[in-house]
Amino acid sequence: MNAVVRISLAGASFTIDKEGCIVLDNYLNEIGNHYKDEEEKCEILNDIEERIAEIFSERTAPDGVVSMQSVEYAIALLGRPSQIFGEAQDASADSQQGSQQSAQQAS
């Protein structure tokens, strides 16, 4: 039998697998650390928590417990900060390279 804990996420109450809770907490801390210097940190975290709460509401098992698989699904769906921001930086670099190549071809 797995241990469970009760959590509040975006104002909604969930019973979640203890291991899943640890993974979720680490994920939210990872995102919080990424935005630690941003003015919108609280708003961003609230939006992410709301989306996770929606996913959990859709995927809660018949026994009412959010499983580790549901936590992993939510994280995979939303992406890790390194994936989200790494891709944004890569896209920005690709865009800059494309602009530089166009400028070189035009001259």
Side-chain angles (χ1 to χ4, degrees):
M1 181 189 301
N2 292 340
V4 296
V5 293
R6 300 270 305 156
I7 64 168
S8 177
L9 191 63
S13 181
F14 295 96
T15 302
I16 184 170
D17 177 90
K18 188 171 184 174
E19 289 180 28
C21 184
I22 293 167
V23 170
L24 177 63
D25 188 52
N26 289 339
Y27 176 71
L28 293 173
N29 285 333
E30 188 178 342
I31 291 173
N33 287 336
H34 179 80
Y35 285 109
K36 66 183 177 209
D37 298 326
E38 301 289 326
E39 289 180 27
E40 308 89 22
K41 175 185 173 183
C42 288
E43 183 178 340
I44 292 166
L45 284 173
N46 287 337
D47 289 345
I48 291 170
E49 286 185 10
E50 285 177 11
R51 181 62 184 122
I52 293 170
E54 289 173 4
I55 293 167
F56 287 174
S57 293
E58 295 167 0
R59 296 183 55 91
T60 300
D63 63 2
V65 176
V66 177
S67 67
M68 178 66 148
Q69 290 81 12
S70 291
V71 173
E72 291 171 341
Y73 174 81
I75 291 171
L77 190 64
L78 297 174
R80 294 224 168 253
S82 58
Q83 294 169 318
I84 298 166
F85 305 110
E87 290 173 5
Q89 290 172 352
D90 290 346
S92 176
D94 290 346
S95 174
Q96 288 175 352
Q97 287 177 348
S99 296
Q100 289 173 351
Q101 289 174 354
S102 295
Q104 289 173 353
Q105 291 174 353
S107 32

